[in-house]
Amino acid sequence: MAISPDSLTIQANNPEQEEAEETVAVQFSGDQLEIGFNVSYLLDVLSVLDSEQVQMSVSDANSSALLESADDSDAVYVVMPMRL
């Protein structure tokens, strides 16, 4: 993931050299950041959140990310990044 103040670019690849890229609009305050995650862990969290909008809090590329529903903050999920 490459995060800038107005967009999030998601890149995915696998061992068979297949690759995909998608850019979405986001609200982000901070310096540009590039961080990697195991997509299975992100999908696990997103599958239990019942909201169309998700809040992800990150401080740097080596720290954990906190994910929670933008509508309801009763539960917070922690996902550790991978080294790029």
Side-chain angles (χ1 to χ4, degrees), residues 9-76:
T9 301
I10 303 167
Q11 294 179 320
N13 56 40
N14 63 24
E16 287 81 32
Q17 305 302 320
E18 298 169 329
E19 191 170 301
E21 183 175 314
E22 186 72 31
T23 301
V24 294
V26 295
Q27 295 176 357
F28 177 70
S29 59
D31 296 331
Q32 189 167 343
L33 177 68
E34 190 170 314
I35 188 168
F37 294 101
N38 182 320
V39 70
S40 298
Y41 299 150
L42 289 178
L43 290 174
D44 286 344
V45 171
L46 295 174
S47 69
V48 297
L49 292 175
D50 291 331
S51 176
E52 288 193 22
Q53 293 189 354
V54 174
Q55 178 175 324
M56 176 185 272
S57 303
V58 294
S59 58
D60 61 50
N62 298 317
S63 299
S64 60
L66 300 176
L67 285 89
E68 59 187 308
S69 170
D71 303 331
D72 182 20
S73 61
D74 286 344
V76 176

